[in-house]
Amino acid sequence: MAYDLEEQEQLDALKAWWDKYGNLILGVLIVIMLAVASWQGWNWYQRNQAAQAAGYCEALRNATRQGNAAQAGAASQTLRADYSGTAYAPRGALLAAQAFLDAGDAERARAELEWIVNERADDLTGPGACVRLAGLLLVLNQLAGALGLAAVPAAAGGEAVSTDRPGDLVPDQGKTD
């Protein structure tokens, strides 16, 4: 195919421009595609982790309903060890603590609640776990630790329960006034 002189000059200008900027354009496109692929990979990983944690949480829920504290403890341990970054881990620890309390194992329930208080205090379940742990310490007659936990600020909407717990603790210390 024959090109006239004007078309040949345009092709030469285009080739010169591509020689000057082509590598830069390809580099930018590759970086953008790698960034998008990395972002999609990270999102897939996060969804996969959440789905697996949800499965363990469901197993924990079923074990709690059936009164199987050993199975609940194993599922909670897996959640805390492998999926501690998910929202399922503190909720699973709350369920496991309830299963242990129902089975009469207050020390293991305490360990579950302490994990939430120590590791996930900023989570939405943190203040509720503080109140539950304070109640458990009250039952175990460890009033000083319970009163310290009851002083933790309440989550929005939980102020009534949070202020009720010190009302339960202070009279047990003999401070009736």
Side-chain angles (χ1 to χ4, degrees), residues 59-75:
L60 201 152
R61 224 177 264 124
N62 290 337
T64 302
R65 280 189 210 118
Q66 296 169 358
N68 189 343
Q71 189 178 15

Side-chain angles (χ1 to χ4, degrees), residues 142-145 147 168-176:
Q142 297 176 359
L143 302 176
L147 198 53
D168 294 339
L169 297 170
V170 174
D172 286 347
Q173 288 182 324
K175 300 176 183 176
T176 56

Side-chain angles (χ1 to χ4, degrees), residues 54-133:
Y56 279 104
C57 196
E58 185 62 31
L60 201 152
R61 224 177 264 124
N62 290 337
T64 302
R65 280 189 210 118
Q66 296 169 358
N68 189 343
Q71 189 178 15
S76 176
Q77 181 64 29
T78 301
L79 276 172
R80 287 187 295 150
D82 298 340
Y83 306 102
S84 64
T86 66
Y88 292 103
R91 287 165 180 79
L94 282 175
L95 286 170
Q98 186 60 49
F100 290 136
L101 281 176
D102 292 344
D105 192 353
E107 285 304 317
R108 287 184 72 187
R110 177 182 178 176
E112 295 287 337
L113 293 171
E114 284 178 344
W115 178 82
I116 299 170
V117 170
N118 294 333
E119 301 295 325
R120 300 294 294 267
D122 58 337
D123 193 74
L124 292 174
T125 57
C130 282
V131 170
R132 283 188 179 189
L133 184 56

